[in-house]
């Protein structure tokens, strides 16, 4: 029975270039949206961009641009990418739009009026790259970058009060967080006491955000702002009819990286505001480049446009949907892409379309031949039964988010049609019994039509082209009745649907890191060089070259690890004013956390001399540049 289907993607940070990972979630949402449309469901598919926060502010500043102008420019990359990828979203929300800001302010005011928000002093560690406060344990994990120590007055949401309610809700609604192992991960996280959520940022530190309605010195924390997009876009508090038509969302699709914000922050905000929770939050895994994480600094980010330019958009959509088991990580390699393309698309599907269409063209005047219901033919019966089985199996698999299996089942049907032609051998009958050969072709084309319709959400434009090639264009996509193909319909223009490919050029080698183009002044300015005083120094056990230094850098103390043991006795370092890169990505070296790097000169013989500051009046923390 047709119903409504509201599906969302994360809203992407606007200052990033859209890459394969972003494309993946959006294509997945698109496939599900298109599939539900063919079921006759009333579908609302939302995507958009996350435009506030420190990262955007900093990126704009570096370019000397106003943040709004910066986001207006960058958002176009996403919009253009979705156009190229054939994304059929119904709405695109930007968090800088007034319709969104209005709802965020209203939600905040409502929570404030209910006593759910209070002011307090906060002291802790803030990760700029993640845009959130982190715990000491998280810092020690070494996984967080750009960590700053911060002490300030802030506004907090009483998230902790909802901990037990959330646990109960998750346990009572197994569909709420999917797949199951992600639900367990969230329940595991909730075994620790939940703290309250800091939902503000002082304007002195961050201006680019939505001002708190009850305190103009602050802007809203970017995650509180961003999550609200899922309800602001459908008119929460603005347009009751639209809101109640779509809410609750049927699927929030997310990557596993943003599980906590979606499965803990978001539902507790709702509990406090008295709004129903979304039906399912589904977290998929990561696309890795081979074995590695895809990242700008490794220079191995796959740009979807490179692939589209070479093979077209639909094979890319097909590969991404077919090669990821939803919920697990998947590995992108040029080889696996080429193999999948040639095996499934060029060989199985492409060859079948060629075979059927060409045979009809040359023997039946280019018109769909007449199919006779040959009750006595076992082969014919087998083909119909297999087709019907796939038609009923695919919705079950898609409903269970086993998309790769649904696609495999459809390709299996395609192979069955090839098998049916091998068995019936119409090319041998064409002279002696043309009517019978025509009937075989009709049945092959009919099974193929149904397979194509099942593949339509994944490869909309190529499927339309192939449907035309077998004379099936006018049949509604929702019609899976055997026999709907109309005899006598002229076939459309023919073109090889999937020419074989040998290799992919764009992904043979990782793209060159952007740094190769030379360092701009803005790039240089991002390196935070500071004077630091050495407070303590000792060798790192088990490592001949390493010294562990405790240093003061103005904003507090921290530890760095340096490879200078062969050149300096640790005790000679005490009190020295050295120069460090203060905002270097945190690392773990031989099990020791290192939050920065010192500078030293090295001559050709390998002698090393620390860069020091010789005026003792210079305060630790002074900027070098
Ligand atoms: N702005 C936040 C989301 C706010 S939602 C209210 C954000 N944006 S993001 O630009 O970093 O996009 C993250 C999402 O992109 C992931 O959750 C995932 O959907 C997708 N992906 C990014 N890299 C990915 C892979 N390598 N593989 C698969 N998807 C990944 O976080």
């Amino acid at each position: 029975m047709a119903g409504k289907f509201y599906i969302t993607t994360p809203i992407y940070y606007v200052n990033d270039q859209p890459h394969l990972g972003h494309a993946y979630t959006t294509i997945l949402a698109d496939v599900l949206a298109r599939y539900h449309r063919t079921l006759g469901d009333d579908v609302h598919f939302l995507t958009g961009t996350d435009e506030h926060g420190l990262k955007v502010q900093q990126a704009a500043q570096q370019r000397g641009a106003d943040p709004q102008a910066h986001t207006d420019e960058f958002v176009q990359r996403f919009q253009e990418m979705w156009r190229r990828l054939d994304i059929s979203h119904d709405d695109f929300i930007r968090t800088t739009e007034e319709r969104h800001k209005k709802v965020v302010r209203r939600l905040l005011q409502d929570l404030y009026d209910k006593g759910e928000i209070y002011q307090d002093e906060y002291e802790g560690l803030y990760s700029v790259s993640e845009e959130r406060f982190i715990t000491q344990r998280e810092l020690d994990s070494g996984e967080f970058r750009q960590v700053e120590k911060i002490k300030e007055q802030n506004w907090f949401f009483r998230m902790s009060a909802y901990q037990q309610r959330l646990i109960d809700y998750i346990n009572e609604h197994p569909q709420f967080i999917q797949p199951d192992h992600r639900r367990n991960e969230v329940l595991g996280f909730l075994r620790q006491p939940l703290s309250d959520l800091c939902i503000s940022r002082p304007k002195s530190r961050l201006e680019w955000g939505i001002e708190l309605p009850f305190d103009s010195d602050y802007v809203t924390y970017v995650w509180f702002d961003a999550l609200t997009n899922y309800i602001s876009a459908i008119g929460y508090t603005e347009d009751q009819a639209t809101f109640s038509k779509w809410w609750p969302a049927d699927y929030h699709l997310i990557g596993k990286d943003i599980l906590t914000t979606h499965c803990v922050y978001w539902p507790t905000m709702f509990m406090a505001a008295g709004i129903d929770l979304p039906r399912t939050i589904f977290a998929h895994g990561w696309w890795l480049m081979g074995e590695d994480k895809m990242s700008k600094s490794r220079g191995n980010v796959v740009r979807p446009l490179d692939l589209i330019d070479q093979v077209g958009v639909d094979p890319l959509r097909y590969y991404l949907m077919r090669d990821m088991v939803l919920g697990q990580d998947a590995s992108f390699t040029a080889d696996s892409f080429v193999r999948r393309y040639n095996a499934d698309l060029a060989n199985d599907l492409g060859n079948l379309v060629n075979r059927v269409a060409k045979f009809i063209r040359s023997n039946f005047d280019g018109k769909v031949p007449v199919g006779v219901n040959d009750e006595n033919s076992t082969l014919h019966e087998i083909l119909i039964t297999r087709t019907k089985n796939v038609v009923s199996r695919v919705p079950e698999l898609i409903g269970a988010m086993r998309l790769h299996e649904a696609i495999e089942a459809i390709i299996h049907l395609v192979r069955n049609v090839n098998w049916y032609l091998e068995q019936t051998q119409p090319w041998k009958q064409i002279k002696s019994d043309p009517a019978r050969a025509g009937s075989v072709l009709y049945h092959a084309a009919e099974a193929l039509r149904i397979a194509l319709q099942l593949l339509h959400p994944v490869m909309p434009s190529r499927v339309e082209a192939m449907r035309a090639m077998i004379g099936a264009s006018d049949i509604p996509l929702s019609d899976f009745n055997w026999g709907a193909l109309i005899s006598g319909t002229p076939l459309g223009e023919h073109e090889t649907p999937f020419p074989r490919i040998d290799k992919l050029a764009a992904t043979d080698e990782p793209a060159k890191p952007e740094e190769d183009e030379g360092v701009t002044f803005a790039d240089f300015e991002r390196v935070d060089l500071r004077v630091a005083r050495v407070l303590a120094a000792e060798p790192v056990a088990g490592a001949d070259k390493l010294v562990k230094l405790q240093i003061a850098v103005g904003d507090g103390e921290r530890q760095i690890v340096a490879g200078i043991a062969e050149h300096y006795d640790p005790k000679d370092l005490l009190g020295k004013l050295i120069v460090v890169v203060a905002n270097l990505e945190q690392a773990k070296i031989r099990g020791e956390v290192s939050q920065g790097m010192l500078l030293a000169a090295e001559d050709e013989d390998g002698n090393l001399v620390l860069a020091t500051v010789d005026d003792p009046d210079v305060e630790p923390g002074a900027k070098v540049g």
Side-chain angles (χ1 to χ4, degrees):
M1 201 187 65
K4 71 95 188 166
F5 186 72
Y6 176 31
I7 186 162
T8 66
T9 72
I11 47 171
Y12 304 102
Y13 288 126
V14 76
N15 55 327
D16 210 355
Q17 287 261 22
H19 63 59
L20 195 79
H22 307 130
Y24 174 72
T25 317
T26 314
I27 293 171
L28 176 61
D30 186 62
V31 169
L32 293 170
R34 286 176 184 272
Y35 171 71
H36 278 268
R37 287 190 197 111
T38 61
L39 293 183
D41 284 349
D42 209 355
V43 171
H44 193 68
F45 167 17
L46 174 70
T47 188
T49 39
D50 191 351
E51 305 194 355
H52 290 124
L54 207 49
K55 274 197 271 195
V56 173
Q57 180 172 299
Q58 285 174 346
Q61 265 165 5
Q62 272 166 24
R63 301 173 68 222
D66 157 68
Q68 187 66 56
H70 172 80
T71 56
D72 288 347
E73 183 187 329
F74 276 58
V75 70
Q76 293 174 23
R77 299 179 181 189
F78 281 90
Q79 291 170 332
E80 172 61 11
M81 176 67 75
W82 301 159
R83 200 184 60 71
R84 296 282 310 270
L85 284 169
D86 246 342
I87 303 300
S88 64
H89 50 284
D90 298 292
D91 194 3
F92 187 103
I93 184 131
R94 303 180 53 188
T95 54
T96 51
E97 284 174 74
E98 195 47 42
R99 62 169 173 156
H100 172 74
K101 295 197 274 194
K102 218 188 248 175
V103 173
V104 172
R105 285 194 290 262
R106 215 167 271 153
L107 182 62
L108 283 165
Q109 187 66 50
D110 180 33
L111 294 180
Y112 179 82
D113 293 344
K114 287 181 167 149
E116 297 283 351
I117 290 176
Y118 63 95
Q119 198 171 27
D120 202 357
E121 172 140 297
Y122 187 85
E123 186 169 3
L125 300 160
Y126 191 74
S127 161
V128 177
S129 63
E130 297 295 309
E131 299 265 28
R132 69 176 178 93
F133 286 100
I134 61 167
T135 60
Q136 185 63 42
R137 226 167 74 195
E138 286 177 312
L139 177 73
D140 293 343
S141 74
E143 284 175 13
F144 291 84
R145 289 180 296 120
Q146 291 174 274
V147 179
E148 293 173 2
K149 222 176 201 172
I150 280 173
K151 183 175 174 181
E152 62 195 19
Q153 282 286 111
N154 262 317
W155 289 93
F156 291 82
F157 159 53
R158 296 184 196 282
M159 187 162 74
S160 59
Y162 295 92
Q163 177 160 10
Q164 192 52 47
R165 237 177 98 183
L166 178 60
I167 295 173
D168 294 344
Y169 189 90
I170 295 173
N171 282 321
E172 284 157 19
H173 298 83
Q175 284 310 308
F176 178 52
I177 301 171
Q178 279 293 313
D180 292 350
H181 64 277
R182 296 288 169 216
R183 178 174 62 247
N184 294 335
E185 192 178 323
V186 174
L187 286 171
F189 175 85
L190 287 169
R191 264 183 227 121
Q192 311 287 331
L194 192 60
S195 42
D196 287 344
L197 181 66
C198 179
I199 50 126
S200 64
R201 297 293 179 262
K203 279 192 184 165
S204 52
R205 189 153 68 77
L206 171 69
E207 276 183 24
W208 185 235
I210 302 173
E211 187 179 291
L212 291 186
F214 44 83
D215 189 341
S216 59
D217 288 339
Y218 291 86
V219 296
T220 311
Y221 171 41
V222 67
W223 269 104
F224 189 101
D225 165 353
L227 287 161
T228 306
N229 91 88
Y230 300 132
I231 53 173
S232 66
I234 52 167
Y236 177 63
T237 65
E238 283 289 296
D239 175 353
Q240 189 50 38
T242 307
F243 181 72
S244 47
K245 174 171 179 193
W246 298 118
W247 194 257
D250 294 85
Y251 273 109
H252 286 323
L253 292 183
I254 58 168
K256 65 179 184 181
D257 51 319
I258 51 177
L259 193 67
T260 311
T261 46
H262 279 79
C263 299
V264 179
Y265 299 3
W266 187 219
T268 50
M269 281 160 65
F270 273 148
M271 286 175 169
I275 311 173
D276 287 343
L277 268 50
R279 292 221 167 89
T280 297
I281 299 169
F282 189 99
H284 62 71
W286 283 91
W287 274 101
L288 304 173
M289 269 309 280
E291 306 282 303
D292 294 331
K293 202 172 160 186
M294 206 183 289
S295 78
K296 250 198 263 180
S297 55
R298 285 175 213 246
N300 65 355
V301 174
V302 178
R303 300 280 167 219
L305 290 184
D306 292 341
L307 292 164
I308 297 176
D309 289 343
Q310 287 183 69
V311 294
V313 58
D314 284 341
L316 173 62
R317 292 171 59 112
Y318 181 87
Y319 170 82
L320 292 177
M321 295 301 109
R322 173 62 187 83
D323 272 41
M324 180 177 269
V325 176
L326 270 170
Q328 297 172 19
D329 288 346
S331 158
F332 182 98
T333 64
D335 269 0
S336 69
F337 187 98
V338 171
R339 245 181 289 125
R340 175 66 70 199
Y341 175 98
N342 283 336
D344 290 13
L345 300 182
N347 286 357
D348 291 336
L349 182 58
N351 278 348
L352 178 64
V353 174
N354 279 339
R355 214 170 177 187
V356 169
K358 285 184 180 164
F359 197 81
I360 296 179
R361 279 183 173 284
S362 38
N363 296 291
F364 300 95
D365 199 18
K367 296 199 178 106
V368 177
V370 176
V372 187
N373 252 345
D374 189 351
E375 303 292 341
N376 299 323
S377 156
T378 332
L379 292 171
H380 174 193
E381 280 306 304
I382 293 176
L383 183 67
I384 296 184
T385 309
R386 288 186 180 169
T387 308
K388 287 188 174 160
N389 283 346
V390 176
V391 169
S392 63
R393 184 92 184 106
V394 165
E396 284 167 23
L397 291 168
I398 296 183
M401 289 295 251
R402 284 155 61 186
L403 255 67
H404 70 291
E405 283 182 58
I407 295 173
E408 173 57 24
I410 302 166
I411 292 296
H412 198 70
L413 172 60
V414 166
R415 287 189 209 116
N416 273 314
V417 185
N418 270 320
W419 166 86
Y420 170 74
L421 288 173
E422 294 299 331
Q423 299 298 312
T424 47
Q425 307 228 330
W427 43 91
K428 285 196 176 156
Q429 294 171 346
I430 188 71
K431 289 262 147 53
S432 56
D433 192 350
R436 199 177 170 84
S439 182
V440 163
L441 257 298
Y442 176 87
H443 295 309
E446 180 59 342
L448 174 56
R449 165 187 76 86
I450 290 174
L452 286 174
Q453 281 177 200
L454 290 169
L455 279 176
H456 190 272
V458 181
M459 299 194 289
S461 73
R462 296 250 181 143
V463 161
E464 278 311 329
M466 290 184 278
R467 269 159 51 85
M469 291 178 211
I470 60 164
S473 283
D474 295 337
I475 302 168
L477 285 170
S478 53
D479 189 346
F480 289 101
N481 289 326
W482 186 267
L485 187 63
I486 301 162
S487 303
T489 312
L491 309 196
E493 288 283 301
H494 193 85
E495 199 187 336
T496 301
F498 301 102
R500 279 186 74 85
I501 52 175
D502 292 333
K503 63 175 188 148
L504 284 182
T507 53
D508 274 357
E509 284 175 29
K512 286 224 171 73
E514 285 156 20
E515 291 78 25
D516 279 3
E517 287 157 17
V519 174
T520 62
F521 182 67
D523 284 340
F524 171 72
E525 276 215 312
R526 292 179 56 206
V527 180
D528 189 19
L529 293 174
R530 301 272 172 176
V531 174
R533 187 183 304 284
V534 179
L535 305 173
E538 56 178 294
V540 173
D544 297 344
K545 295 188 177 158
L546 299 181
V547 179
K548 188 164 75 173
L549 306 160
Q550 307 305 321
I551 56 172
V553 203
D555 63 348
E557 291 174 22
R558 59 168 95 179
Q559 171 170 297
I560 61 173
V561 175
I564 53 171
E566 290 169 340
H567 308 273
Y568 286 89
D569 187 338
K571 64 177 182 304
D572 295 340
L573 296 168
L574 296 184
K576 270 194 192 305
L577 286 173
I578 57 173
V579 178
V580 296
V581 180
N583 62 344
L584 189 75
E585 203 172 329
Q586 175 171 305
K588 251 195 177 160
I589 305 174
R590 290 292 181 102
E592 295 288 351
V593 173
S594 184
Q595 295 173 270
M597 179 178 92
L598 52 71
L599 299 191
E602 189 176 10
D603 67 16
E604 285 186 350
D605 300 328
N607 296 316
L608 213 134
V609 180
L610 287 181
T612 54
V613 175
D614 60 7
D615 183 341
D617 289 341
V618 174
E619 289 288 330
K623 206 164 164 39
V624 180

